[in-house]
Amino acid sequence: MAPDSEAAPPDGKGAIDDAIPDQIVDTLHATQGLKDNGGLKHYLVQHGVLPTQEDTDAREAVIETLRQALCHDTDTEPQQSTDTDISRQPDIPLVLVPVGSFGLGVWTASSDIDCLVVGMLSPKTFWALTRQRLGRLADQGIRILRVVKASSGTMSELKVCGIRVDLQYCPATKVTETWPKILELPPSDPIFDLSPVALKKLNAYRDMHYLLRTIPDLDAFQLAHRFLKDWALNRGMYSTRFAYLSGFHITLLLARLQAQNATEASASDIVRTFFRSYAEFDWPSEAVFDPTFHKSEPRYPRSAREPLVILSLHSPIINIAQRASMNTVKTLSAEFKRANQLLANEDVTWSKVTGATAGVERHDALRSGAADFINNYKSYINLNIQYWGSSSAKRDALLGWLESRCPLFLAGLSKMEEETDLSRKSNIDTTDGVNRTSSLNTLQTALQTFVDQIRNDKRYFDPNTSWIEMSHVKQSELGSLKLDERPLGSYIVQNNEDDSDESEVSEDEEILSDDMEEDVLPSKRPSKSQNKPRTGPSGTKLRPATDILNRLRWDPSLDSSEYVVGYEDRFKGTREIPLERWKSEQTDEEFIPQHRIVHFKRKSDGVIVWDKEKKVDKIFGSGVKSGTETKE
């Protein structure tokens, strides 16, 4: 294995020429109070954060069960195999590996298992196989809870022997054939020339492997990570869906510190140094990245709407904290400063830092937190949901749908809040006169728009069995509330096997669309290509716009600033913007679905290097073979 292969910057693309100056972080040592009574490890054991050997064995058994179920036909009854039933094939070339917290060794007893499958099948075929094979194993404790199709691809949520599993799939034939030697290849190897969606999924494993190899003291890192996650949970800061922290956020924040730490440090010292460093961090103007992996500072086109930037490792380099708002940054900064101040006290304990009490179960802590929440603010958004149907599955599907929509709605509301001075640090309750009335009207309009969107989605909302409304209410109008602890959301959300991706992706079913406009299962609808007459040449396969975009951005031999993207505006016809301003993440307010891209043009000579209608591709040479370049 080449020890330095993955430590190199990915492809060199997107990096400035100047080397990163040496940035050494001075280690702060934990106070004596934090070292007493067994120190940090004792706290984690006392609060049930550290998993037992039994927990480890159970999860390893779950992974092996899934591996056998998906990669081998475990049905002992011989049946005639047909072309339409791939699940009866005895062995299918698939690779299943754990990623995320379990793969990195920072999981807890309450953690889900994240699993990645890499294979040669198309996504549609793989998910059909998954439904068929796992569906036959319900009596062995395997259940499909729901299937979610998002801009980042399809994910299946499972429960295996009582343990939740998030299953993702990466279609990559050459990677499967080369496995596991891909880890010996440099990031610039052509084997990683995958669609952005597939590459992001594969990067979960590549990132994990890189971190496991390069973190200087893995045991200390894992202890520190587990404590920081417990701190974030207890302080209400652990929720990437609501633009706060996730396990991967914590991983990259810690990795940056350990890369800049010149001396060995205990887990307790790492935690204290972590809070000191990020309490003083200039979030609006600085970016978090791993200086060991990125030999030069990554060239990331940060927009004014990104107050928090934490950059991923392998390309394509993205900001994994893109949903964050100014309110997110203010809240996180305040919590970092609070912890930093507490850790400076000689008599501080780990429990005082997290606010957790030994012997108090997590659900009891949640009850206490819920009670604090409904007493800490002057006004709230009240979401009233009524369901009187007889189907528990439809009820849970409705609740799951609403749950998936609320984070994006709140993130959008926070952005609007920053722009219109909507509430108190936005201050709805103390704004006077015309400004207060205008702010309230803006809020009411946003609430009604959200409700209308939910009611108009016939997949989940049925006016004959359900009702939803939202309102802005004062604290005194809430009445008596308590935390709902019913076990909801344990039913399957069925996926239609005939659902298709966007039209420009249907030409190559190995590629999942980055342009999905919903974060849920898409409704059955005809492909856009069926509604539009094709004027270009037929019978030739053109590389999709996502591949062209990815190549122009990350190929070191090409200058992305020299290209513009032509896209179809719904009202103004074909428009063009510089490629560097093109946003690929749905959460970005300037996001334009990639199926609207009609061409890519070189600025210097006006040459169209890729044209969807005419099937011209001067980047990869796909589509119509022609030596003539098109100019405008």
Side-chain angles (χ1 to χ4, degrees):
M1 183 173 292
D4 298 327
S5 61
E6 289 202 57
D11 301 336
K13 181 70 172 177
I16 60 175
D17 294 332
D18 297 332
I20 300 174
D22 292 336
Q23 298 177 5
I24 303 301
V25 174
D26 294 329
T27 301
L28 286 182
H29 296 290
T31 61
Q32 188 59 44
L34 297 175
K35 297 177 182 178
D36 292 340
N37 301 319
L40 183 58
K41 189 171 184 177
H42 177 75
Y43 166 88
L44 296 176
V45 171
Q46 189 179 30
H47 289 79
V49 178
L50 277 182
T52 63
Q53 185 60 47
E54 183 180 354
D55 294 327
T56 303
D57 294 341
R59 278 161 173 73
E60 290 178 347
V62 164
I63 294 170
E64 186 57 31
T65 297
L66 276 179
R67 186 176 286 123
Q68 292 297 322
L70 292 175
C71 302
H72 310 285
D73 186 8
T74 56
D75 195 341
T76 57
E77 297 182 10
Q79 298 189 27
Q80 183 66 33
S81 176
T82 66
D83 292 339
T84 59
D85 188 7
I86 191 174
S87 69
R88 297 300 179 183
Q89 295 184 16
D91 292 298
I92 297 176
L94 297 172
V95 177
L96 187 148
V97 289
V99 292
S101 62
F102 188 81
L104 197 58
V106 296
W107 60 286
T108 65
S110 61
S111 298
D112 297 347
I113 303 176
D114 295 307
C115 285
L116 173 69
V117 178
V118 184
M120 304 179 184
L121 304 175
S122 71
K124 183 177 181 180
T125 301
F126 171 78
W127 292 115
L129 167 75
T130 300
R131 284 191 296 271
Q132 292 167 359
R133 287 197 166 178
L134 298 187
R136 299 202 303 262
L137 300 176
D139 59 340
Q140 298 183 29
I142 299 179
R143 297 175 61 198
I144 302 176
L145 301 182
R146 67 171 181 164
V147 178
V148 180
K149 187 171 284 188
S151 62
S152 56
T154 301
M155 180 188 73
S156 184
E157 295 181 3
L158 315 173
K159 181 171 279 189
V160 184
C161 301
I163 297 174
R164 286 184 175 263
V165 178
D166 289 343
L167 186 68
Q168 307 227 29
Y169 178 64
C170 169
T173 299
K174 291 183 179 179
V175 171
T176 308
E177 293 172 340
T178 312
W179 196 277
K181 292 184 178 180
I182 64 158
L183 297 175
E184 302 176 23
L185 303 175
S188 58
D189 193 281
I191 200 172
F192 300 117
D193 184 18
L194 303 172
S195 71
V197 172
L199 191 56
K200 287 178 185 178
K201 291 180 181 295
L202 183 61
N203 283 350
Y205 184 76
R206 297 170 71 202
D207 291 349
M208 178 192 76
H209 182 265
Y210 166 78
L211 291 167
L212 288 174
R213 286 196 306 109
T214 59
I215 291 172
D217 187 340
L218 191 57
D219 289 339
F221 175 90
Q222 291 168 339
L223 279 178
H225 193 292
R226 285 184 166 116
F227 174 81
L228 291 169
K229 178 182 176 181
D230 188 68
W231 163 82
L233 282 168
N234 281 286
R235 299 301 300 171
M237 296 291 102
Y238 195 81
S239 177
T240 184
R241 300 182 68 184
F242 289 94
Y244 290 112
L245 298 176
S246 70
F248 196 45
H249 287 84
I250 295 173
T251 296
L252 293 182
L253 290 170
L254 271 176
R256 169 186 171 270
L257 284 186
Q258 291 211 270
Q260 295 176 337
N261 198 334
T263 59
E264 291 186 5
S266 67
S268 299
D269 295 341
I270 292 172
V271 170
R272 188 174 179 198
T273 305
F274 176 94
F275 284 116
R276 191 277 309 274
S277 298
Y278 292 115
E280 300 173 353
F281 198 77
D282 186 2
W283 297 102
S285 59
E286 293 187 58
V288 173
F289 61 90
D290 186 336
T292 301
F293 183 87
H294 299 289
K295 300 302 183 182
S296 298
E297 182 176 354
R299 189 180 66 182
Y300 176 76
R302 181 177 190 164
S303 73
R305 300 177 185 274
E306 294 178 273
L308 180 63
V309 174
I310 302 176
L311 298 179
S312 59
L313 298 178
H314 289 88
S315 62
I317 299 173
I318 62 172
N319 176 16
I320 67 170
Q322 198 170 50
R323 284 188 180 180
S325 66
M326 283 303 301
N327 282 341
T328 303
V329 174
K330 290 177 183 177
T331 303
L332 285 174
S333 294
E335 287 294 332
F336 288 145
K337 290 175 181 177
R338 169 193 172 274
N340 183 47
Q341 292 173 353
L342 286 173
L343 289 169
N345 297 329
E346 286 295 330
D347 61 345
V348 72
T349 63
W350 294 115
S351 294
K352 288 181 180 180
V353 177
T354 62
T357 303
V360 176
E361 297 290 338
R362 178 73 67 189
H363 61 82
D364 292 327
L366 287 174
R367 290 195 197 105
S368 176
D372 290 341
F373 172 74
I374 61 177
N375 291 317
N376 285 346
Y377 300 91
K378 295 181 179 180
S379 64
Y380 296 81
I381 293 175
N382 181 29
L383 174 58
N384 182 12
I385 309 167
Q386 302 290 334
Y387 181 82
W388 55 89
S390 59
S391 171
S392 297
K394 290 183 178 180
R395 176 200 65 193
D396 291 355
L398 173 63
L399 292 178
W401 164 240
L402 282 170
E403 182 186 14
S404 71
R405 296 294 88 193
C406 283
L408 290 177
F409 168 73
L410 292 176
L413 197 63
S414 183
K415 295 288 187 181
M416 183 172 64
E417 181 179 312
E418 294 168 11
E419 295 175 359
T420 63
D421 203 23
L422 186 59
S423 63
R424 194 175 158 195
K425 296 178 185 177
S426 58
N427 221 333
I428 287 177
D429 296 295
T430 59
T431 305
D432 296 325
V434 176
N435 289 336
R436 182 176 185 276
T437 301
S438 176
S439 296
L440 289 173
N441 289 339
T442 301
L443 175 61
Q444 294 293 351
T445 300
L447 297 181
Q448 189 58 48
T449 299
F450 178 75
V451 169
D452 290 341
Q453 290 173 347
I454 297 299
R455 290 177 181 170
N456 290 332
D457 194 303
K458 305 305 180 186
R459 293 168 294 178
Y460 300 109
F461 182 81
D462 183 355
N464 297 315
T465 59
S466 52
W467 179 252
I468 176 176
E469 61 181 357
M470 294 180 79
S471 58
H472 171 235
V473 298
K474 297 179 180 179
Q475 184 192 71
S476 58
E477 299 171 339
L478 288 177
S480 178
L481 298 175
K482 65 177 183 179
L483 187 67
D484 189 345
E485 300 178 74
R486 290 176 293 175
L488 303 177
S490 57
Y491 291 85
I492 299 174
V493 177
Q494 296 292 347
N495 187 17
N496 193 324
E497 293 186 26
D498 294 329
D499 287 349
S500 61
D501 292 333
E502 298 290 346
S503 58
E504 70 282 1
V505 180
S506 63
E507 298 177 15
D508 185 355
E509 64 176 353
E510 291 292 337
I511 300 173
L512 279 174
S513 175
D514 224 9
D515 315 334
M516 298 290 185
E517 295 187 358
E518 297 295 349
D519 224 8
V520 294
L521 295 172
S523 59
K524 185 176 181 179
R525 60 175 182 253
S527 169
K528 293 182 181 179
S529 61
Q530 297 174 8
N531 300 326
K532 290 184 178 181
R534 289 188 177 271
T535 57
S538 60
T540 53
K541 183 177 293 186
L542 181 70
R543 293 290 286 261
T546 51
D547 284 8
I548 306 300
L549 191 63
N550 196 42
R551 177 78 177 272
L552 294 177
R553 277 178 169 166
W554 306 115
D555 190 329
S557 66
L558 298 172
D559 185 354
S560 59
S561 65
E562 282 297 309
Y563 294 87
V564 297
V565 183
Y567 67 95
E568 191 70 27
D569 187 277
R570 290 175 177 173
F571 305 102
K572 300 178 182 179
T574 302
R575 312 287 290 180
E576 290 184 343
I577 64 172
L579 185 144
E580 291 185 322
R581 285 180 49 199
W582 184 269
K583 301 297 182 181
S584 298
E585 297 297 320
Q586 280 192 342
T587 52
D588 197 284
E589 294 187 10
E590 298 177 1
F591 170 76
I592 301 171
Q594 290 183 18
H595 66 264
R596 296 189 196 167
I597 296 177
V598 295
H599 68 251
F600 290 89
K601 184 172 70 175
R602 195 161 51 226
K603 289 181 183 179
S604 58
D605 54 10
V607 169
I608 302 293
V609 297
W610 183 90
D611 189 298
K612 181 165 71 172
E613 182 177 344
K614 297 179 180 179
K615 289 195 173 183
V616 172
D617 176 10
K618 302 295 181 183
I619 301 299
F620 289 99
S622 66
V624 177
K625 302 298 182 181
S626 172
T628 304
E629 294 187 327
T630 306
K631 293 186 179 181
E632 282 193 342

